[in-house]
Amino acid sequence: MREMISHSLADYVDCLKAAGLIREYDLKGQEAAKISGLTYNSKEAGANTFFICKGASFKEDYLNEALERGAAAYVSETPYNTEVPYVIVTDVRRAMPFLANLYFCRPWEDLKLIGITGTKGKSTTAYYIKAIIDDYMAASGGRESAVISSIDVYDGVVKKESHITTPESVELMEHFRHAVDSGIKYLEMEVSSQALKYDRVDGVTFDVGVFLNISEDHISPIEHPDFNDYFESKLRIFAQTKTACVNLDSDGIERIMEAAGASKRLITFGTHKDADIRADRIRKNGMDTVFNVICDRFEQEFVLEMPGLFNVENALAAIAIAYALDIPAEYMYSGLKRARSSGRMELYHSKDHKVVAIVDYAHNRLSFEKLFESTMAEYSGRRIVTIFGCPGKKAYIRRRDLGTVAGKYSDKIYLVAEDPGYEPVEEISREIAQYVKAQGCPYEMIEDRGEAIGKAIMEVTEPTVILITGKGNETRQKYGSEYVDCPSDVAYTKQFIGEYDRTHGE
């Protein structure tokens, strides 16, 4: 195992020189000074910290605070205080992974690292493969695997709710270091298009990299200017992947397969007849989803107790990852059968079964289409009531797409707050509403998610499926730049189904 060691300021300069990123520097004779901290958060700076000046909203005041707290030097694209040791680089974002790799001593090399990208299904796939690996580890005396997802993070030291899909490279490398120091062998992580585009995962090689699917999303001035940029960003994962796992059922498959050629090994999965890991005979058995998997190592039946026919695609991805890692099929079966993903397709129902509520993180066109397709297949004849919103100042295309898809398939819609940031919720909801209205679907705008969930449940008079999407088990809502604590959609759903049951009796 590669252990943490301290490096000198000169070592960091040499690292950035080798990467061709240095424009100028002056260490003020402190070349031998040992660095014992690396951060871009001025409040986390301490003695002998190497401080990173990054971000469009960076202010020199942040650097001054870091220096007051004991920072030994700073790296920036712009010279600020020239009286202290400094390093000026051409691109501070590109520099960050090099600095993080050196500071944390390349911990990812001691992990089996799994990276998952795609428009839909990243977190579910991450928790499916985590369940498989954890069963395998339990049987062989190993530690529970680490996970970095849009739902939460566990690295052997830290366990917390997430607010970003893929952290910045400094935090990412710290999670890797925690996992290694905790004796963890495997780590699953979601890899967002933003992480790939903005160099957060540079300097890392994935043992297995997964491409689930692609659909238009995250198009905005602060994310991707167009679909091509989004797609190209996703495809970057293959250049740093040993074994690529690709869904042959994905749109844009020719382009995906061409990019996957950058990986040393390729495993395909899907329902397509040419897939290396192929699903067959997908069916419902009561509340369970049952399917057969055919590959060169085995042919057997698998069971998913987590709702949603579309989750077979995510399960196949997890099986392909396990196949690539030589994990026996028995752990694939046991892991998938028990797998759950917090806030993903969580199913609740009233005692009289008139109310079926599904809480899910679905938040883009592809996930909405799959959710409605599955709901209509599994709950044929029921009314569908949908509760959702869209985030502020980003992914603007979702307002059209989600309004159109939900309006087409729902009997009623409640438009609610979903991390509005600096944008008024009413403005977001009105923009979505025009697309809902175009589909002839009735709607209400209720900012408070709990109020909308309560109203939808308590007004049920005939068999209804209530789809509550976007926030899952998250317990915070973003207003402005702050995260405000609030009950999760799951908590609200349990509360109001309990109230419905008390009101309606057995």
Side-chain angles (χ1 to χ4, degrees):
M1 182 180 79
R2 189 187 299 267
E3 296 182 353
M4 280 276 286
I5 60 172
S6 295
H7 293 88
S8 70
L9 201 47
D11 291 333
Y12 288 90
V13 170
D14 290 342
C15 172
L16 294 175
K17 276 183 181 177
L21 292 170
I22 286 189
R23 184 182 296 153
E24 64 173 281
Y25 68 97
D26 186 347
L27 302 186
K28 309 294 182 183
Q30 299 299 309
E31 286 81 359
K34 293 292 185 179
I35 295 300
S36 58
L38 180 70
T39 186
Y40 53 83
N41 184 342
S42 59
K43 298 190 183 308
E44 294 178 358
N48 303 314
T49 295
F50 196 10
F51 184 69
I52 303 166
C53 305
K54 84 157 188 82
S57 58
F58 181 80
K59 300 176 183 177
E60 191 170 356
D61 289 346
Y62 301 151
L63 171 59
N64 293 335
E65 182 181 7
L67 293 171
E68 288 171 6
R69 290 174 178 269
Y74 70 91
V75 59
S76 174
E77 293 176 12
T78 302
Y80 293 109
N81 187 334
T82 57
E83 301 302 312
V84 300
Y86 65 88
V87 181
I88 307 304
V89 294
T90 56
D91 188 329
V92 75
R93 278 203 165 276
R94 287 188 59 211
M96 283 172 64
F98 291 98
L99 297 173
N101 250 319
L102 182 61
Y103 180 78
F104 290 103
C105 301
R106 302 174 69 83
W108 55 270
E109 292 184 348
D110 291 314
L111 292 167
K112 289 291 186 183
L113 192 60
I114 300 152
I116 303 162
T117 199
T119 303
K120 176 192 179 299
K122 294 186 294 297
S123 58
T124 300
T125 301
Y127 282 92
Y128 278 178
I129 186 58
K130 176 172 172 55
I132 291 170
I133 290 172
D134 288 351
D135 278 8
Y136 179 49
M137 287 289 94
S140 57
R143 285 288 308 270
E144 174 188 354
S145 62
V147 64
I148 299 172
S149 81
S150 55
I151 298 174
D152 57 17
V153 170
Y154 170 70
D155 64 12
V157 175
V158 173
K159 187 174 181 63
K160 65 179 183 179
E161 185 177 303
S162 295
H163 299 301
I164 187 170
T165 301
T166 312
E168 293 283 5
S169 53
V170 176
E171 288 88 354
L172 192 59
M173 213 64 68
E174 183 177 30
H175 289 312
F176 295 163
R177 171 49 59 188
H178 285 166
V180 170
D181 290 348
S182 300
I184 290 172
K185 289 180 60 178
Y186 294 87
L187 186 148
E188 314 89 13
M189 63 177 288
E190 296 181 46
V191 186
S192 68
S193 60
Q194 296 286 289
L196 289 158
K197 179 176 180 176
Y198 293 114
D199 312 306
R200 293 180 202 161
V201 292
D202 279 13
V204 167
T205 299
F206 297 103
D207 291 279
V208 183
V210 184
F211 200 105
L212 292 170
N213 44 55
I214 191 74
S215 179
E216 198 170 34
D217 195 21
H218 294 289
I219 311 302
S220 77
I222 62 171
E223 297 168 291
H224 300 279
D226 52 41
F227 177 67
N228 186 61
D229 184 76
Y230 175 61
F231 201 169
E232 281 298 315
S233 297
K234 291 280 192 190
L235 294 173
R236 287 180 61 177
I237 195 171
F238 295 122
Q240 55 195 103
T241 290
K242 293 178 183 177
T243 297
C245 295
V246 172
N247 179 13
L248 280 188
D249 297 326
S250 176
D251 289 343
I253 188 61
E254 295 83 5
R255 191 170 172 185
I256 297 168
M257 290 293 284
E258 181 179 358
S263 302
K264 295 178 181 177
R265 180 188 181 199
L266 174 64
I267 297 171
T268 59
F269 63 91
T271 58
H272 193 282
K273 63 182 178 62
D274 295 329
D276 298 319
I277 310 289
R278 179 166 64 88
D280 188 31
R281 296 183 61 220
I282 301 168
R283 58 209 185 271
K284 294 293 292 184
N285 183 3
M287 297 300 293
D288 297 341
T289 300
V290 183
F291 61 102
N292 285 48
V293 171
I294 302 164
C295 67
D296 62 354
R297 293 184 194 168
F298 58 83
E299 180 174 345
Q300 73 171 69
E301 182 179 275
F302 286 85
V303 177
L304 294 177
E305 294 183 350
M306 184 173 163
L309 286 166
F310 56 82
N311 277 319
V312 171
E313 177 181 297
N314 302 320
L316 285 174
I319 291 169
I321 297 165
Y323 179 102
L325 295 170
D326 294 319
I327 295 174
E330 63 183 289
Y331 304 110
M332 301 178 195
Y333 180 87
S334 64
L336 287 174
K337 192 172 190 299
R338 72 173 182 85
R340 295 291 184 276
S341 178
S342 178
R344 293 286 184 192
M345 294 301 291
E346 293 205 22
L347 179 66
Y348 304 92
H349 60 79
S350 59
K351 289 179 180 178
D352 63 10
H353 289 274
K354 280 188 178 179
V355 181
V356 172
I358 298 174
V359 179
D360 191 61
Y361 281 104
H363 61 276
N364 55 43
R365 185 183 188 96
L366 184 58
S367 60
F368 259 47
E369 288 174 340
K370 295 287 188 180
L371 177 61
F372 282 104
E373 177 184 309
S374 183
T375 298
M376 290 186 294
E378 296 181 61
Y379 299 99
S380 178
R382 283 181 175 257
R383 293 181 74 248
I384 297 177
V385 175
T386 308
I387 301 169
F388 74 98
C390 287
K393 300 293 185 182
K394 65 178 185 178
Y396 295 115
I397 198 169
R398 289 182 190 171
R399 302 177 189 187
R400 179 200 70 194
D401 289 349
L402 303 196
T404 301
V405 174
K408 182 178 179 180
Y409 296 110
S410 301
D411 294 285
K412 185 171 182 179
I413 287 171
Y414 291 90
L415 298 174
V416 296
E418 187 172 314
D419 296 319
Y422 289 100
E423 196 171 355
V425 175
E426 186 175 352
E427 288 185 12
I428 298 171
S429 294
R430 286 196 185 284
E431 187 174 347
I432 301 169
Q434 64 182 311
Y435 301 107
V436 173
K437 190 175 181 180
Q439 297 298 316
C441 180
Y443 67 89
E444 285 187 50
M445 298 192 305
I446 302 177
E447 180 170 341
D448 185 84
R449 297 180 73 91
E451 182 183 343
I453 292 168
K455 187 171 185 182
I457 290 172
M458 298 307 293
E459 289 186 348
V460 167
T461 57
E462 58 185 289
T464 301
V465 179
I466 301 174
L467 302 177
I468 306 161
T469 77
K471 295 292 286 180
N473 235 332
E474 292 179 9
T475 57
R476 293 183 182 182
Q477 184 86 262
K478 188 176 183 180
Y479 281 90
S481 60
E482 302 296 321
Y483 285 93
V484 180
D485 290 340
C486 63
S488 69
D489 288 352
V490 168
Y492 280 132
T493 301
K494 289 179 177 178
Q495 174 191 335
F496 288 110
I497 284 185
E499 188 174 326
Y500 174 95
D501 285 339
R502 288 190 296 273
T503 301
H504 292 77
E506 292 286 338

